């Protein structure tokens, strides 16, 4: 799941980012120097929550899960 830091700050209902900015938290992943976020080099799935609505993100996720488990699902179909 991807969103820029500015978008995460805007959505932050628990004030984690403002607390980290004020030095009250030092372990906010991807924001605090002591807790860097390391983006995967080749993610299996990337959902950009700034560009996709919830239903689109859900479709992406569902399609990914179904594609990963297609063989198992097809083998359990009644004959």
């Amino acid at each position: 799941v991807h969103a820029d830091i500015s978008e995460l700050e805007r959505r932050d209902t628990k004030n984690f980012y403002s607390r980290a900015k004020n030095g009250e938290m030092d372990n906010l992943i991807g924001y605090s120097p002591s807790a860097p976020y390391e983006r995967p080099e080749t993610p299996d799935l990337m959902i950009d929550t700034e560009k996709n609505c919830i239903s689109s993100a859900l479709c992406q996720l569902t399609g990914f899960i179904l594609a990963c488990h297609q063989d198992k699902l097809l083998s359990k179909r009644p004959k």
Side-chain angles (χ1 to χ4, degrees):
V1 176
H2 171 76
D4 289 331
I5 291 289
S6 59
E7 181 64 16
L8 296 175
E9 288 174 332
R10 188 187 70 75
R11 295 178 188 172
D12 185 17
T13 59
K14 296 183 180 182
N15 297 317
F16 289 145
Y17 290 92
S18 62
R19 288 171 47 199
K21 192 180 285 189
N22 293 331
E24 298 168 32
M25 285 179 72
D26 64 355
N27 61 350
L28 185 59
I29 295 173
Y31 194 83
S32 302
S34 64
Y37 171 73
E38 297 177 13
R39 178 179 285 176
E41 290 181 23
T42 56
D44 293 327
L45 175 65
M46 171 94 94
I47 299 174
D48 190 330
T49 61
E50 287 182 76
K51 296 179 181 169
N52 296 308
C53 64
I54 292 172
S55 61
S56 175
L58 183 58
C59 285
Q60 271 187 277
L61 180 58
T62 304
F64 176 77
I65 292 169
L66 291 173
C68 288
H69 297 284
Q70 184 176 12
D71 294 342
K72 292 176 188 174
L73 294 170
L74 292 175
S75 68
K76 293 185 180 188
R77 286 177 44 191
K79 295 180 181 185

